[in-house]
mmCIF file of all heavy atoms in Angstrom:
data_model
loop_
_atom_site.group_PDB
_atom_site.id
_atom_site.type_symbol
_atom_site.label_atom_id
_atom_site.label_comp_id
_atom_site.label_asym_id
_atom_site.label_seq_id
_atom_site.Cartn_x
_atom_site.Cartn_y
_atom_site.Cartn_z
ATOM 1 N N LEU A 28 0.998 11.742 -9.400
ATOM 2 C CA LEU A 28 1.494 12.688 -8.410
ATOM 3 C C LEU A 28 3.028 12.691 -8.332
ATOM 4 O O LEU A 28 3.606 13.425 -7.524
ATOM 5 C CB LEU A 28 0.927 12.368 -7.027
ATOM 6 C CG LEU A 28 -0.381 13.092 -6.649
ATOM 7 C CD1 LEU A 28 -1.511 12.713 -7.604
ATOM 8 C CD2 LEU A 28 -0.775 12.800 -5.220
ATOM 9 N N GLY A 29 3.672 11.878 -9.183
ATOM 10 C CA GLY A 29 5.132 11.820 -9.183
ATOM 11 C C GLY A 29 5.715 11.122 -7.959
ATOM 12 O O GLY A 29 6.836 11.411 -7.541
ATOM 13 N N ILE A 30 4.954 10.179 -7.403
ATOM 14 C CA ILE A 30 5.409 9.448 -6.216
ATOM 15 C C ILE A 30 5.832 8.046 -6.637
ATOM 16 O O ILE A 30 5.065 7.308 -7.235
ATOM 17 C CB ILE A 30 4.287 9.361 -5.165
ATOM 18 C CG1 ILE A 30 3.844 10.755 -4.715
ATOM 19 C CG2 ILE A 30 4.727 8.518 -3.976
ATOM 20 C CD1 ILE A 30 2.597 10.753 -3.850
ATOM 21 N N ASP A 31 7.066 7.672 -6.295
ATOM 22 C CA ASP A 31 7.577 6.354 -6.661
ATOM 23 C C ASP A 31 7.237 5.333 -5.585
ATOM 24 O O ASP A 31 6.469 4.413 -5.794
ATOM 25 C CB ASP A 31 9.088 6.414 -6.891
ATOM 26 C CG ASP A 31 9.666 5.066 -7.274
ATOM 27 O OD1 ASP A 31 8.916 4.226 -7.805
ATOM 28 O OD2 ASP A 31 10.877 4.844 -7.043
ATOM 29 N N LYS A 32 7.795 5.517 -4.389
ATOM 30 C CA LYS A 32 7.534 4.597 -3.290
ATOM 31 C C LYS A 32 6.765 5.338 -2.195
ATOM 32 O O LYS A 32 6.950 6.533 -1.991
ATOM 33 C CB LYS A 32 8.852 4.039 -2.732
ATOM 34 C CG LYS A 32 9.619 3.253 -3.790
ATOM 35 C CD LYS A 32 10.751 2.467 -3.177
ATOM 36 C CE LYS A 32 11.421 1.655 -4.284
ATOM 37 N NZ LYS A 32 12.151 0.504 -3.777
ATOM 38 N N PHE A 33 5.910 4.599 -1.502
ATOM 39 C CA PHE A 33 5.030 5.241 -0.536
ATOM 40 C C PHE A 33 4.537 4.243 0.505
ATOM 41 O O PHE A 33 4.678 3.033 0.353
ATOM 42 C CB PHE A 33 3.842 5.885 -1.260
ATOM 43 C CG PHE A 33 3.147 4.973 -2.235
ATOM 44 C CD1 PHE A 33 2.070 4.190 -1.864
ATOM 45 C CD2 PHE A 33 3.610 4.894 -3.560
ATOM 46 C CE1 PHE A 33 1.436 3.346 -2.790
ATOM 47 C CE2 PHE A 33 2.984 4.056 -4.485
ATOM 48 C CZ PHE A 33 1.902 3.275 -4.078
ATOM 49 N N TYR A 34 3.976 4.796 1.564
ATOM 50 C CA TYR A 34 3.344 4.016 2.626
ATOM 51 C C TYR A 34 1.846 3.941 2.340
ATOM 52 O O TYR A 34 1.290 4.850 1.715
ATOM 53 C CB TYR A 34 3.539 4.678 3.983
ATOM 54 C CG TYR A 34 4.977 4.849 4.412
ATOM 55 C CD1 TYR A 34 5.751 5.893 3.911
ATOM 56 C CD2 TYR A 34 5.552 3.975 5.345
ATOM 57 C CE1 TYR A 34 7.072 6.075 4.309
ATOM 58 C CE2 TYR A 34 6.882 4.150 5.749
ATOM 59 C CZ TYR A 34 7.630 5.187 5.229
ATOM 60 O OH TYR A 34 8.925 5.371 5.632
ATOM 61 N N VAL A 35 1.196 2.886 2.804
ATOM 62 C CA VAL A 35 -0.265 2.822 2.725
ATOM 63 C C VAL A 35 -0.817 2.475 4.099
ATOM 64 O O VAL A 35 -0.184 1.726 4.869
ATOM 65 C CB VAL A 35 -0.782 1.781 1.690
ATOM 66 C CG1 VAL A 35 -0.538 2.260 0.280
ATOM 67 C CG2 VAL A 35 -0.171 0.414 1.907
ATOM 68 N N ILE A 36 -1.958 3.037 4.412
ATOM 69 C CA ILE A 36 -2.631 2.746 5.673
ATOM 70 C C ILE A 36 -4.131 2.713 5.421
ATOM 71 O O ILE A 36 -4.655 3.535 4.683
ATOM 72 C CB ILE A 36 -2.237 3.787 6.747
ATOM 73 C CG1 ILE A 36 -2.813 3.399 8.111
ATOM 74 C CG2 ILE A 36 -2.676 5.194 6.366
ATOM 75 C CD1 ILE A 36 -2.246 4.203 9.247
ATOM 76 N N GLY A 37 -4.801 1.730 6.013
ATOM 77 C CA GLY A 37 -6.246 1.609 5.838
ATOM 78 C C GLY A 37 -6.925 1.339 7.167
ATOM 79 O O GLY A 37 -6.359 0.672 8.044
ATOM 80 N N ILE A 38 -8.130 1.848 7.305
ATOM 81 C CA ILE A 38 -8.902 1.648 8.531
ATOM 82 C C ILE A 38 -10.203 0.929 8.189
ATOM 83 O O ILE A 38 -10.817 1.207 7.159
ATOM 84 C CB ILE A 38 -9.170 3.005 9.244
ATOM 85 C CG1 ILE A 38 -9.822 2.771 10.618
ATOM 86 C CG2 ILE A 38 -10.029 3.921 8.394
ATOM 87 C CD1 ILE A 38 -9.860 4.015 11.484
ATOM 88 N N SER A 39 -10.585 -0.023 9.011
ATOM 89 C CA SER A 39 -11.846 -0.716 8.890
ATOM 90 C C SER A 39 -12.047 -1.291 7.476
ATOM 91 O O SER A 39 -11.299 -2.145 7.046
ATOM 92 C CB SER A 39 -12.988 0.225 9.285
ATOM 93 O OG SER A 39 -14.209 -0.435 9.375
ATOM 94 N N GLY A 40 -13.036 -0.768 6.729
ATOM 95 C CA GLY A 40 -13.300 -1.279 5.382
ATOM 96 C C GLY A 40 -12.207 -0.986 4.382
ATOM 97 O O GLY A 40 -12.196 -1.532 3.281
ATOM 98 N N GLY A 41 -11.240 -0.138 4.745
ATOM 99 C CA GLY A 41 -10.096 0.131 3.872
ATOM 100 C C GLY A 41 -9.003 -0.902 4.020
ATOM 101 O O GLY A 41 -8.053 -0.931 3.225
ATOM 102 N N ALA A 42 -9.119 -1.784 5.033
ATOM 103 C CA ALA A 42 -8.076 -2.774 5.306
ATOM 104 C C ALA A 42 -7.832 -3.750 4.142
ATOM 105 O O ALA A 42 -6.672 -3.997 3.769
ATOM 106 C CB ALA A 42 -8.408 -3.525 6.584
ATOM 107 N N PRO A 43 -8.902 -4.335 3.553
ATOM 108 C CA PRO A 43 -8.641 -5.263 2.447
ATOM 109 C C PRO A 43 -7.894 -4.612 1.276
ATOM 110 O O PRO A 43 -7.096 -5.261 0.607
ATOM 111 C CB PRO A 43 -10.045 -5.717 2.025
ATOM 112 C CG PRO A 43 -10.906 -5.451 3.213
ATOM 113 C CD PRO A 43 -10.337 -4.254 3.862
ATOM 114 N N TYR A 44 -8.158 -3.328 1.055
ATOM 115 C CA TYR A 44 -7.503 -2.611 -0.049
ATOM 116 C C TYR A 44 -6.042 -2.342 0.273
ATOM 117 O O TYR A 44 -5.200 -2.349 -0.617
ATOM 118 C CB TYR A 44 -8.266 -1.308 -0.326
ATOM 119 C CG TYR A 44 -9.689 -1.571 -0.759
ATOM 120 C CD1 TYR A 44 -10.723 -1.670 0.168
ATOM 121 C CD2 TYR A 44 -9.999 -1.771 -2.109
ATOM 122 C CE1 TYR A 44 -12.022 -1.948 -0.228
ATOM 123 C CE2 TYR A 44 -11.290 -2.052 -2.514
ATOM 124 C CZ TYR A 44 -12.293 -2.145 -1.570
ATOM 125 O OH TYR A 44 -13.577 -2.431 -1.971
ATOM 126 N N THR A 45 -5.758 -2.147 1.541
ATOM 127 C CA THR A 45 -4.374 -1.973 1.986
ATOM 128 C C THR A 45 -3.601 -3.273 1.766
ATOM 129 O O THR A 45 -2.485 -3.267 1.235
ATOM 130 C CB THR A 45 -4.342 -1.585 3.483
ATOM 131 O OG1 THR A 45 -5.137 -0.428 3.672
ATOM 132 C CG2 THR A 45 -2.929 -1.329 3.944
ATOM 133 N N ALA A 46 -4.204 -4.388 2.177
ATOM 134 C CA ALA A 46 -3.564 -5.687 2.024
ATOM 135 C C ALA A 46 -3.358 -6.025 0.538
ATOM 136 O O ALA A 46 -2.324 -6.556 0.150
ATOM 137 C CB ALA A 46 -4.402 -6.772 2.689
ATOM 138 N N ALA A 47 -4.335 -5.664 -0.293
ATOM 139 C CA ALA A 47 -4.223 -5.934 -1.736
ATOM 140 C C ALA A 47 -3.052 -5.181 -2.344
ATOM 141 O O ALA A 47 -2.306 -5.716 -3.167
ATOM 142 C CB ALA A 47 -5.529 -5.548 -2.441
ATOM 143 N N CYS A 48 -2.861 -3.923 -1.921
ATOM 144 C CA CYS A 48 -1.747 -3.119 -2.439
ATOM 145 C C CYS A 48 -0.409 -3.702 -1.997
ATOM 146 O O CYS A 48 0.536 -3.803 -2.794
ATOM 147 C CB CYS A 48 -1.856 -1.673 -1.971
ATOM 148 S SG CYS A 48 -3.133 -0.734 -2.832
ATOM 149 N N ALA A 49 -0.323 -4.081 -0.710
ATOM 150 C CA ALA A 49 0.935 -4.656 -0.193
ATOM 151 C C ALA A 49 1.288 -5.942 -0.937
ATOM 152 O O ALA A 49 2.456 -6.226 -1.194
ATOM 153 C CB ALA A 49 0.803 -4.901 1.306
ATOM 154 N N TRP A 50 0.254 -6.736 -1.282
ATOM 155 C CA TRP A 50 0.492 -8.009 -1.958
ATOM 156 C C TRP A 50 0.849 -7.812 -3.434
ATOM 157 O O TRP A 50 1.742 -8.468 -3.956
ATOM 158 C CB TRP A 50 -0.769 -8.880 -1.845
ATOM 159 C CG TRP A 50 -0.607 -10.217 -2.507
ATOM 160 C CD1 TRP A 50 0.007 -11.325 -1.984
ATOM 161 C CD2 TRP A 50 -1.063 -10.589 -3.822
ATOM 162 N NE1 TRP A 50 -0.033 -12.338 -2.890
ATOM 163 C CE2 TRP A 50 -0.676 -11.936 -4.022
ATOM 164 C CE3 TRP A 50 -1.738 -9.909 -4.827
ATOM 165 C CZ2 TRP A 50 -0.965 -12.618 -5.194
ATOM 166 C CZ3 TRP A 50 -2.028 -10.584 -5.992
ATOM 167 C CH2 TRP A 50 -1.647 -11.910 -6.169
ATOM 168 N N LYS A 51 0.165 -6.860 -4.095
ATOM 169 C CA LYS A 51 0.315 -6.748 -5.546
ATOM 170 C C LYS A 51 1.473 -5.867 -5.981
ATOM 171 O O LYS A 51 1.976 -6.031 -7.089
ATOM 172 C CB LYS A 51 -0.995 -6.233 -6.157
ATOM 173 C CG LYS A 51 -1.060 -6.431 -7.673
ATOM 174 C CD LYS A 51 -2.442 -6.189 -8.216
ATOM 175 C CE LYS A 51 -2.507 -6.442 -9.714
ATOM 176 N NZ LYS A 51 -3.862 -6.213 -10.275
ATOM 177 N N MET A 52 1.888 -4.895 -5.158
ATOM 178 C CA MET A 52 3.020 -4.052 -5.572
ATOM 179 C C MET A 52 4.034 -3.858 -4.442
ATOM 180 O O MET A 52 4.235 -2.739 -3.975
ATOM 181 C CB MET A 52 2.530 -2.728 -6.139
ATOM 182 C CG MET A 52 1.491 -1.990 -5.328
ATOM 183 S SD MET A 52 1.095 -0.397 -6.119
ATOM 184 C CE MET A 52 -0.297 0.100 -5.148
ATOM 185 N N PRO A 53 4.655 -4.954 -4.021
ATOM 186 C CA PRO A 53 5.600 -4.880 -2.911
ATOM 187 C C PRO A 53 6.818 -4.012 -3.203
ATOM 188 O O PRO A 53 7.454 -3.494 -2.277
ATOM 189 C CB PRO A 53 6.007 -6.338 -2.691
ATOM 190 C CG PRO A 53 5.753 -7.017 -3.995
ATOM 191 C CD PRO A 53 4.545 -6.318 -4.561
ATOM 192 N N SER A 54 7.154 -3.830 -4.478
ATOM 193 C CA SER A 54 8.334 -3.009 -4.805
ATOM 194 C C SER A 54 8.082 -1.511 -4.587
ATOM 195 O O SER A 54 9.026 -0.747 -4.491
ATOM 196 C CB SER A 54 8.760 -3.263 -6.259
ATOM 197 O OG SER A 54 7.755 -2.851 -7.151
ATOM 198 N N ARG A 55 6.812 -1.118 -4.490
ATOM 199 C CA ARG A 55 6.500 0.303 -4.324
ATOM 200 C C ARG A 55 6.029 0.653 -2.910
ATOM 201 O O ARG A 55 6.106 1.819 -2.509
ATOM 202 C CB ARG A 55 5.447 0.749 -5.335
ATOM 203 C CG ARG A 55 5.895 0.611 -6.774
ATOM 204 C CD ARG A 55 4.956 1.310 -7.738
ATOM 205 N NE ARG A 55 5.009 2.760 -7.610
ATOM 206 C CZ ARG A 55 4.382 3.589 -8.448
ATOM 207 N NH1 ARG A 55 3.676 3.104 -9.461
ATOM 208 N NH2 ARG A 55 4.465 4.895 -8.287
ATOM 209 N N ILE A 56 5.531 -0.342 -2.187
ATOM 210 C CA ILE A 56 5.019 -0.103 -0.840
ATOM 211 C C ILE A 56 6.165 -0.226 0.159
ATOM 212 O O ILE A 56 6.769 -1.279 0.304
ATOM 213 C CB ILE A 56 3.906 -1.097 -0.483
ATOM 214 C CG1 ILE A 56 2.763 -1.048 -1.499
ATOM 215 C CG2 ILE A 56 3.391 -0.843 0.922
ATOM 216 C CD1 ILE A 56 1.998 0.242 -1.546
ATOM 217 N N ILE A 57 6.442 0.864 0.860
ATOM 218 C CA ILE A 57 7.494 0.847 1.884
ATOM 219 C C ILE A 57 7.012 0.088 3.114
ATOM 220 O O ILE A 57 7.709 -0.737 3.693
ATOM 221 C CB ILE A 57 7.889 2.283 2.275
ATOM 222 C CG1 ILE A 57 8.418 3.053 1.048
ATOM 223 C CG2 ILE A 57 8.942 2.277 3.396
ATOM 224 C CD1 ILE A 57 8.550 4.549 1.257
ATOM 225 N N MET A 58 5.775 0.388 3.517
ATOM 226 C CA MET A 58 5.177 -0.259 4.687
ATOM 227 C C MET A 58 3.672 -0.113 4.588
ATOM 228 O O MET A 58 3.179 0.895 4.074
ATOM 229 C CB MET A 58 5.691 0.381 5.975
ATOM 230 C CG MET A 58 5.270 -0.323 7.247
ATOM 231 S SD MET A 58 5.927 0.492 8.734
ATOM 232 C CE MET A 58 7.684 0.162 8.549
ATOM 233 N N ALA A 59 2.965 -1.127 5.089
ATOM 234 C CA ALA A 59 1.492 -1.086 5.096
ATOM 235 C C ALA A 59 0.996 -1.196 6.521
ATOM 236 O O ALA A 59 1.505 -2.002 7.300
ATOM 237 C CB ALA A 59 0.928 -2.228 4.240
ATOM 238 N N GLY A 60 -0.003 -0.373 6.854
ATOM 239 C CA GLY A 60 -0.590 -0.421 8.188
ATOM 240 C C GLY A 60 -2.083 -0.597 8.120
ATOM 241 O O GLY A 60 -2.746 -0.013 7.256
ATOM 242 N N ILE A 61 -2.625 -1.417 9.009
ATOM 243 C CA ILE A 61 -4.063 -1.665 9.072
ATOM 244 C C ILE A 61 -4.566 -1.359 10.483
ATOM 245 O O ILE A 61 -3.963 -1.805 11.476
ATOM 246 C CB ILE A 61 -4.386 -3.129 8.694
ATOM 247 C CG1 ILE A 61 -4.150 -3.339 7.193
ATOM 248 C CG2 ILE A 61 -5.820 -3.488 9.067
ATOM 249 C CD1 ILE A 61 -4.314 -4.767 6.731
#
């Protein structure tokens, strides 16, 4: 999609996936919300 840096947000069962992204690619995640 041509996106370099971005925010991620996950709800309920999406929370572990949000945490995984924040942990594995901190240089691309601006902020993560659960």
Side-chain angles (χ1 to χ4, degrees):
L28 268 62
I30 300 171
D31 180 24
K32 299 192 177 203
F33 49 92
Y34 300 79
V35 289
I36 186 168
I38 188 169
S39 189
Y44 298 90
T45 305
C48 285
W50 181 81
K51 195 168 182 180
M52 47 177 171
S54 63
R55 298 192 69 172
I56 303 295
I57 300 168
M58 187 180 292
I61 289 175

